[in-house]
Amino acid sequence: MPEQDYFTRLRALLEQERDEDLREYLKQVRERPLSERVERGFTWYPLQIVKTGFAIGEKAWVLLERTSRLDEPHQFRAGQSINFFTQSQHVKHPEKQGIINYVERNRMKIILNARDVPDWVTFGQLGVDMLFDDRSYQEMFRALDKVSAAKGDRLAELRDLLTGKKVATPEIIHGLPEAPGLNDSQRQAVAAILANRDVTLLHGPPGTGKTTTLVAAIQRLVERENTVLVTAPSNTAADLLTERLADAGLNVVRVGNISRVDEHILPHTLDSILAQHPESKNIKKVKIQAAEYRRQARQHKRSFGFEERREREHLKHQSRELEAWANELESRLVEQILSSAQAITCTLVGAAHPLLENYKFRTCIIDEAAQALEPAAWIPILKCSRVVLAGDPFQLPPTVKSIEAARNGLSVTLIERGIQLLPQHVHLLDVQYRMHHVIMNFSNEYFYNGALKAHESVHDRQLNLPEMQDVLLNGGLDGLSTLVFIDTAGTGFEEKVNRSAAKDSSRALSKYNPEEGLLLREHLLQLLQRFPDADARPDIGVLSPYREQVNYLEETFLEDPDISPMMTLERRAAGRDLVVNTIDGFQGQERDVIYISLVRSNAKSEIGFLTDYRRMNVAMTRARKLLVVIGDSGTIGNNPFYARFLAYCEQHGLYESAWTYMK
């Protein structure tokens, strides 16, 4: 397919996705009353101001804290567009738009699309609404247009390589680099990244050290390049890269919004680095003075006398002069910080940040590329002359809300197409360092053609419980199972739909299975009883593809005095926590023990979301030492994927009946 036709089609699919996203936003947020938006987590209200200040450039920020529904789940994430508003009466302009800089429990920092904090913040009745994020779509459209129109330059060459029009230059690798701690496949990948002038595809299955390999490659790239651009689809993934690069001793600068606020990330953000500069205090003072002059000028706005008008113009002039001086000095400091960085980290859309507008990079790294929409992946590629795409097409795919757009190809990622078109540039990491080989091998055989090997340090890793075999798991591998499927067939544990959710079309597919949840709790309680010393307990993850089941399990566990202590923030900080989440929400994490509640149990063998095998691959490979899957073989067994999984469990003696745990 010619480039113009290909990118015209891709643009049309992205327009379909934007339209569907907008329809969903209008239905869920804009068309609902305030009370419903608050209840569903699309709005924070009421709020109070904690602090205000000035961000980089001509923008103010506010730090807000919600005063009700504390710690309840919500839909807000770093980087989202929001509408900051007041319900106070007689305010002429009661709304200001902005971007969430970060969300931390009940606090939210917002960068406003305004030079000043609105005067009405002192009136109270403050709230924040989620807005439709058209900016991300506009940046993707802009990138597609530039890529499609490119002629005779490096961007056109990269485009032709990744659309199959041009053959990539063969890799010429002169020996593997010295890299203590890396295995041969990792060293081979590092060597390829250093040698390849076009595109390198790093395929990193679960637990194979993809991030470790990327960090090792970047450490060597910065020896020959000024700065490497390191990107990922989400703020969470960009933060992880920032943390790992900083731990490796690199001078890394995080541009854009952040998913969490802690000592590992915050000191490396551009805002924080700038704030530590000796000139920062002077810049802040000047911006405050300029804002005060603007405030005074607004107070004179209703006065029509000659002296008042002259005073107003004088104040505005002083404000402009001070602001221009502050911005000029700030721009020089920002340029100095970015130019001296060895690595700049950001999201894919964040690569279009105005501060990076005039920057070009030799190499761009795109991590988690299998979770990135192709139009978003082109945004950072615009700024580089060669690219590294790293990820695993057999794990979480990108989120596509339009079923039609996904069906017609929008869900196919750039790394997937690259693996098909440039097989000679694909480097598979083949040693995994996370899980027992029995936990690994089902996914290994189904997704990776048996290419993976469990490192000797994890090959036989198990929970250190010799007495557990008599009480918890019957039989199994050497008397102690590392993977078990608990079958609820014949028990009558049927799936349900929450009655309130059934009235809401957006949640109608989110099912739950309370009896299966109680069975999971029973198994979990027996596991915890094997650890009289609570501090010696393993960390545990409880996952389900269905949000309603996650909500049910979380409520059930919090009410249980034997389980709830495992779910505190203190336990999380100590690394011995129990977390309940959806598979997508657990992305990038791992635990000693993982439970998976499949939920589906019906006479028609309908399994819905379970047909997304990539998500199940993610869930099954999060466990280090013990994986417990609970489901109804009568419902899932007609599906080829689950039929193979059940056969694998039976073959290895890892199959049990739910009747074993029913009292």
Side-chain angles (χ1 to χ4, degrees):
M1 181 184 297
E3 288 89 355
Q4 291 288 343
D5 292 344
Y6 176 82
F7 284 98
T8 299
R9 180 171 174 271
L10 189 56
R11 200 182 201 285
L13 294 177
L14 187 60
E15 288 173 351
Q16 283 184 333
E17 174 67 4
R18 180 190 59 186
D19 293 345
E20 178 62 30
D21 198 2
L22 178 58
R23 276 194 295 271
E24 186 70 13
Y25 164 76
L26 293 173
K27 182 174 67 174
Q28 293 300 320
V29 183
R30 210 62 188 168
E31 296 173 358
R32 295 187 182 275
L34 177 62
S35 59
E36 280 193 36
R37 300 200 305 270
V38 172
E39 182 180 352
R40 295 171 185 274
F42 295 110
T43 297
W44 276 14
Y45 182 88
L47 298 169
Q48 63 183 12
I49 292 283
V50 177
K51 196 175 182 181
T52 64
F54 296 95
I56 296 173
E58 299 181 356
K59 293 186 177 181
W61 58 260
V62 291
L63 180 61
L64 305 167
E65 186 172 61
R66 55 178 171 176
T67 56
S68 66
R69 305 180 72 88
L70 301 181
D71 294 327
E72 288 196 10
H74 57 83
Q75 306 295 325
F76 291 102
R77 300 292 182 270
Q80 285 180 330
S81 297
I82 58 87
N83 186 49
F84 179 39
F85 65 89
T86 179
Q87 291 282 92
S88 180
Q89 300 297 314
H90 311 300
V91 175
K92 190 173 182 181
H93 301 289
E95 299 179 346
K96 288 288 183 183
Q97 294 184 3
I99 301 289
I100 297 176
N101 181 241
Y102 66 76
V103 182
E104 184 185 27
R105 296 189 66 185
N106 298 304
R107 289 190 170 190
M108 178 189 300
K109 182 178 178 182
I110 298 169
I111 309 297
L112 297 172
N113 297 334
R115 293 187 299 178
D116 298 313
V117 176
D119 295 333
W120 44 255
V121 296
T122 59
F123 300 165
Q125 296 181 270
L126 305 176
V128 170
D129 266 332
M130 186 181 296
L131 273 185
F132 178 66
D133 183 15
D134 195 52
R135 172 181 165 268
S136 295
Y137 286 105
Q138 292 306 318
E139 294 298 348
M140 286 190 278
F141 286 132
R142 192 174 293 113
L144 291 179
D145 292 343
K146 288 183 178 180
V147 173
S148 176
K151 291 182 180 179
D153 58 9
R154 187 58 179 151
L155 178 59
E157 292 178 350
L158 290 173
R159 176 199 64 202
D160 293 346
L161 285 170
L162 288 166
T163 54
K165 182 180 178 181
K166 182 179 177 182
V167 178
T169 304
E171 292 176 348
I172 302 176
I173 299 175
H174 301 287
L176 301 185
E178 290 293 330
L182 297 188
N183 61 50
D184 286 346
S185 66
Q186 292 171 329
R187 292 169 64 215
Q188 181 74 27
V190 171
I193 291 171
L194 297 176
N196 199 333
R197 66 178 298 272
D198 299 316
V199 179
T200 305
L201 301 152
L202 180 60
H203 186 180
T208 55
K210 171 175 59 67
T211 305
T212 298
T213 305
L214 287 177
V215 170
I218 294 166
Q219 284 179 298
R220 286 155 182 80
L221 286 171
V222 299
E223 295 173 359
R224 60 176 75 173
E225 304 175 17
N226 291 333
T227 309
V228 178
L229 180 62
V230 185
T231 67
S234 68
N235 284 293
T236 300
D239 287 350
L240 174 62
L241 288 165
T242 303
E243 185 176 346
R244 293 291 299 274
L245 290 168
D247 289 344
L250 294 181
N251 176 14
V252 55
V253 178
R254 173 74 163 91
V255 173
N257 308 299
I258 53 178
S259 64
R260 67 184 199 272
V261 182
D262 59 35
E263 60 184 8
H264 299 296
I265 301 299
L266 201 58
H268 305 290
T269 62
L270 182 57
D271 287 328
S272 180
I273 296 170
L274 187 63
Q276 299 305 312
H277 195 280
E279 287 289 346
S280 179
K281 289 184 178 180
N282 291 331
I283 295 174
K284 183 177 179 180
K285 288 178 181 178
V286 172
K287 285 190 173 185
I288 291 173
Q289 186 60 59
E292 175 61 20
Y293 285 151
R294 286 195 298 273
R295 187 189 66 80
Q296 293 177 19
R298 287 196 299 271
Q299 288 181 336
H300 286 287
K301 195 171 183 180
R302 295 180 181 178
S303 301
F304 299 100
F306 175 76
E307 291 297 330
E308 287 81 0
R309 289 200 305 272
R310 188 171 68 174
E311 177 64 15
R312 183 170 68 244
E313 291 304 316
H314 175 66
L315 289 168
K316 289 166 67 175
H317 177 73
Q318 284 185 303
S319 172
R320 285 193 295 268
E321 283 197 335
L322 287 174
E323 196 165 51
W325 181 87
N327 288 335
E328 182 181 354
L329 180 55
E330 187 177 71
S331 295
R332 289 205 300 267
L333 294 181
V334 168
E335 183 178 357
Q336 177 184 330
I337 292 167
L338 293 177
S339 298
S340 63
Q342 293 175 297
I344 293 175
T345 57
C346 60
T347 62
L348 301 178
V349 174
H353 197 291
L355 295 175
L356 300 178
E357 183 176 359
N358 298 320
Y359 282 81
K360 294 291 183 181
F361 303 89
R362 174 78 178 92
T363 304
C364 165
I365 309 284
I366 301 179
D367 193 16
E368 303 297 356
Q371 296 178 34
L373 290 177
E374 179 177 339
W378 284 108
I379 297 173
I381 296 176
L382 297 177
K383 294 181 171 296
C384 71
S385 57
R386 65 174 180 175
V387 61
V388 178
L389 296 168
D392 180 10
F394 300 119
Q395 295 191 62
L396 288 180
T399 299
V400 180
K401 296 182 179 179
S402 168
I403 297 174
E404 185 178 355
R407 186 185 300 120
N408 290 324
L410 187 60
S411 60
V412 178
T413 61
L414 199 58
I415 190 173
E416 286 180 270
R417 288 204 297 108
I419 288 174
Q420 292 178 347
L421 294 170
L422 305 168
Q424 69 276 26
H425 292 273
V426 178
H427 296 272
L428 175 72
L429 304 181
D430 59 13
V431 181
Q432 71 85 14
Y433 297 85
R434 176 182 299 160
M435 66 203 96
H436 190 287
H437 71 278
V438 170
I439 300 175
M440 174 194 76
N441 272 336
F442 174 72
S443 289
N444 185 25
E445 294 167 4
Y446 191 92
F447 294 102
Y448 307 107
N449 298 316
L452 304 185
K453 304 179 287 290
H455 189 264
E456 59 183 12
S457 63
V458 303
H459 187 275
D460 297 312
R461 74 188 316 182
Q462 296 175 292
L463 290 177
N464 187 22
L465 285 175
E467 75 278 14
M468 177 175 151
Q469 59 196 43
D470 298 325
V471 181
L472 178 61
L473 301 178
N474 304 313
L477 184 68
D478 297 328
L480 179 62
S481 294
T482 54
L483 182 154
V484 62
F485 177 78
I486 302 178
D487 192 357
T488 66
T491 61
F493 294 177
E494 292 194 358
E495 66 193 52
K496 295 177 175 61
V497 177
N498 188 306
R499 290 185 181 277
S500 60
K503 299 175 184 178
D504 182 353
S505 60
S506 70
R507 299 172 64 199
L509 294 178
S510 192
K511 307 213 168 21
Y512 76 121
N513 192 319
E515 291 84 5
E516 183 176 291
L518 294 175
L519 172 64
L520 190 155
R521 184 183 67 173
E522 177 62 28
H523 192 285
L524 173 60
L525 284 169
Q526 291 189 29
L527 173 62
L528 296 180
Q529 288 170 5
R530 298 300 93 207
F531 293 89
D533 181 1
D535 292 334
R537 288 175 173 173
D539 52 4
I540 300 169
V542 179
L543 310 180
S544 178
Y546 291 90
R547 168 55 65 184
E548 291 296 334
Q549 184 74 344
V550 168
N551 293 341
Y552 174 81
L553 289 168
E554 196 164 41
E555 291 173 7
T556 301
F557 291 169
L558 287 172
E559 294 172 357
D560 193 305
D562 294 318
I563 299 177
S564 58
M566 290 279 292
M567 303 174 70
T568 63
L569 292 174
E570 292 75 17
R571 296 288 297 185
R572 186 177 304 171
R576 286 289 181 269
D577 67 329
L578 185 152
V579 62
V580 186
N581 211 332
T582 61
I583 296 169
D584 287 24
F586 197 71
Q587 156 187 336
Q589 301 181 60
E590 59 186 69
R591 292 292 189 275
D592 288 333
V593 179
I594 290 291
Y595 286 88
I596 304 175
S597 175
L598 297 180
V599 175
R600 301 310 298 264
S601 180
N602 57 74
K604 297 181 180 180
S605 296
E606 294 177 347
I607 64 173
F609 291 152
L610 301 187
T611 55
D612 191 339
Y613 308 145
R614 291 178 294 184
R615 278 187 167 82
M616 292 310 302
N617 183 37
V618 170
M620 292 177 177
T621 55
R622 300 301 98 189
R624 303 185 193 108
K625 302 176 181 179
L626 174 63
L627 172 63
V628 181
V629 183
I630 304 177
D632 180 359
S633 65
T635 298
I636 67 174
N638 292 327
N639 178 277
F641 173 84
Y642 293 99
R644 280 184 61 173
F645 176 67
L646 294 173
Y648 178 82
C649 292
E650 289 181 321
Q651 175 187 350
H652 291 85
L654 310 173
Y655 181 93
E656 295 185 355
S657 169
W659 294 102
T660 305
Y661 303 95
M662 294 174 65
K663 296 183 178 180

